[in-house]
Amino acid sequence: MSKIQVLDQNTINKIAAGEVIERPASVVKELIENAIDAGATAIAVELKDGGISLVRVTDNGSGIEKEDIRNAFLRHSTSKIKSVEDLFTITSLGFRGEALSSIAAISQVELITKVKSGLTGIRYSIEGGSDKSFEEIGSPDGTTFLVRNLFFNTPARRKFLKSSSTEAAHVGDLLEKLALSHPNISFKFINNNQIKLHTSGNNQLKDVIYGIYGREITSNLIPILANNESIKVQGFIGKPIIARGNRSYENYYINGRYVKSAVIGQAIEDAYKTYMPQHKYPFTVLHFTINSDLLDINVHPTKMELRFKNKEELYLLVSNSIKDALSGKELIPTVTLGSNNEQNYYW
Ligand code: ADP
Ligand code: MG
């Protein structure tokens, strides 16, 4: 008797889902990235039970065409790339076509979507990867995903979920990062009927920082704006007095994507070295715009790590612009030669 079996698609999807979807925050991340890629200017996230029983993500983006809805849930189906060459110039957050198939494999999904040109919207339900219903329904332009009972059919995975409040906290952290990455988009986060975060989408990064970190941090920021031929960096860094004991305030984004990068992290910390005691880490929110052909974002499925073609250039731009900002007059008590010769502290 032969012992080798080719796994059916449903089993393959369930296994693959484990790579992409670990907890409610991973569902939220994938759905928000899709909403951003769809051009949404307002995105709302609502959780019940920390997202374990319900994650709802609503956007006012492009919507999904009726004929594309079922395909969107197939593995490796994407509207964002056509061939491997496109990977080198990718500008969207998603491109692997794995998220919707993964989410649908391990939960009960309801999708309501309408494109601007559509007369009505469509409501589609899919559970554990199987079609449940597909019908026309009145709805506003854009897309709403309701993801219920995460891991209902994979109890082994469900066991690894933490308490509702811990899962909700992960989603909260994620939303802060996403709001900081896109100050031009209004984000609203509701947990157990309470609004936890609401940004205006007015494109003022400082307003988003204020909404998340409050007055103390916001009044101790130094703006950064620098560029070389291929890289632009802009945003805010914190004065050394608002340093922390861990790296959780070191945020930076490349082409709108929250990333971790050894080169950027090193450049930031080296630049602060002479201003900061040991084991203290700075506050930064920096947005990098880098030509996509100088990046390889295809390194890891969760896409937190990137490879650069021009590491040294990036290092120098970051460390020099931060050093310049820190050594600027804001930090140095300057003596004004005015009438009363008072010392003027800018911070
Ligand atoms: P990827 O984002 O890698 O393309 P996904 O599985 O996340 O793969 O999504 C599959 C496709 O479904 C996307 O390429 C897109 O065309 C469509 N889609 C998903 N979410 C949305 C949304 N909120 N608005 C419009 N289109 C969407
Ligand atoms: Mg996606």
Side-chain angles (χ1 to χ4, degrees):
M1 273 288 280
S2 112
K3 290 183 185 152
I4 297 178
Q5 296 214 11
V6 176
L7 299 173
D8 64 72
Q9 196 57 46
N10 203 0
T11 310
I12 294 171
N13 285 347
K14 270 196 201 170
I15 294 170
E19 290 262 314
V20 189
I21 305 300
E22 205 187 329
R23 54 180 3 138
S26 359
V27 173
V28 174
K29 173 176 183 284
E30 295 296 337
L31 296 182
I32 292 184
E33 290 190 349
N34 283 344
I36 295 172
D37 286 344
T41 58
I43 301 172
V45 177
E46 197 180 335
L47 305 183
K48 292 269 147 62
D49 282 333
I52 300 166
S53 59
L54 175 70
V55 170
R56 185 208 313 261
V57 177
T58 300
D59 72 56
N60 64 351
S62 65
I64 308 175
E65 297 281 354
K66 189 175 176 181
E67 306 73 53
D68 284 335
I69 291 175
R70 285 194 170 92
N71 285 342
F73 286 87
L74 298 178
R75 204 152 138 67
H76 307 304
S77 65
T78 177
S79 57
K80 298 168 195 173
I81 58 169
K82 291 210 164 62
S83 68
V84 75
E85 283 73 42
D86 295 349
L87 281 176
F88 299 101
T89 54
I90 188 99
T91 53
S92 62
L93 294 170
F95 58 86
R96 292 168 180 268
E98 290 177 321
L100 295 189
S101 64
S102 299
I103 294 168
I106 43 86
S107 69
Q108 298 160 336
V109 176
E110 184 182 335
L111 161 71
I112 297 161
T113 188
K114 180 180 167 301
V115 294
K116 290 196 175 58
S117 58
L119 292 176
T120 64
I122 300 288
R123 182 178 163 277
Y124 174 57
S125 307
I126 171 170
E127 288 187 17
S130 325
D131 263 22
K132 289 288 161 199
S133 68
F134 192 102
E135 66 202 10
E136 295 199 339
I137 186 179
S139 80
D141 292 346
T143 301
T144 295
F145 275 93
L146 295 107
V147 177
R148 295 191 173 91
N149 301 323
L150 192 63
F151 301 132
F152 79 104
N153 56 357
T154 42
R157 290 246 161 79
R158 205 181 161 95
K159 266 194 267 176
F160 283 98
L161 293 174
K162 300 282 190 302
S163 69
S164 300
S165 56
T166 302
E167 295 300 341
H170 282 294
V171 175
D173 290 347
L174 171 75
L175 266 136
E176 290 178 357
K177 295 194 166 69
L178 287 163
L180 289 165
S181 74
H182 286 84
N184 55 333
I185 297 177
S186 165
F187 286 90
K188 190 179 194 177
F189 172 41
I190 300 170
N191 185 35
N192 291 333
N193 303 318
Q194 270 187 316
I195 297 184
K196 297 288 182 188
L197 177 73
H198 195 178
T199 63
S200 71
N202 68 357
N203 209 18
Q204 297 298 312
L205 182 58
K206 210 171 191 174
D207 290 353
V208 183
I209 294 174
Y210 186 91
I212 293 170
Y213 297 103
R215 185 194 300 268
E216 156 87 4
I217 298 281
T218 315
S219 53
N220 284 295
L221 298 176
I222 310 171
I224 294 281
L225 177 59
N227 68 282
N228 61 25
E229 260 157 48
S230 47
I231 309 169
K232 179 179 169 193
V233 53
Q234 65 179 328
F236 294 93
I237 60 168
K239 292 174 186 167
I241 46 166
I242 55 167
R244 291 209 120 184
N246 60 54
R247 291 191 169 88
S248 61
Y249 275 6
E250 271 179 39
N251 289 309
Y252 37 86
Y253 303 85
I254 295 180
N255 300 346
R257 188 190 295 270
Y258 177 76
V259 292
K260 283 284 154 216
S261 149
V263 188
I264 296 175
Q266 192 67 52
I268 292 173
E269 288 174 22
D270 287 352
Y272 268 93
K273 208 170 257 164
T274 54
Y275 297 93
M276 209 105 96
Q278 259 200 325
H279 310 302
K280 285 281 187 189
Y281 302 93
F283 177 94
T284 69
V285 180
L286 295 173
H287 284 232
F288 291 86
T289 313
I290 304 182
N291 225 329
S292 53
D293 46 331
L294 299 174
L295 291 175
D296 178 3
I297 49 176
N298 197 18
V299 186
H300 189 265
T302 58
K303 295 168 280 191
M304 284 263 283
E305 286 162 40
L306 290 93
R307 270 197 212 122
F308 303 100
K309 294 217 178 87
N310 51 353
K311 272 191 195 167
E312 293 74 23
E313 228 188 294
L314 180 63
Y315 177 91
L316 286 175
L317 181 70
V318 176
S319 58
N320 289 338
S321 60
I322 294 181
K323 276 185 206 156
D324 286 353
L326 289 173
S327 65
K329 64 174 186 238
E330 288 102 317
L331 285 179
I332 302 163
T334 50
V335 180
T336 36
L337 299 171
S339 52
N340 54 5
N341 241 5
E342 238 179 6
Q343 274 207 329
N344 222 349
Y345 289 88
Y346 284 84
W347 55 303

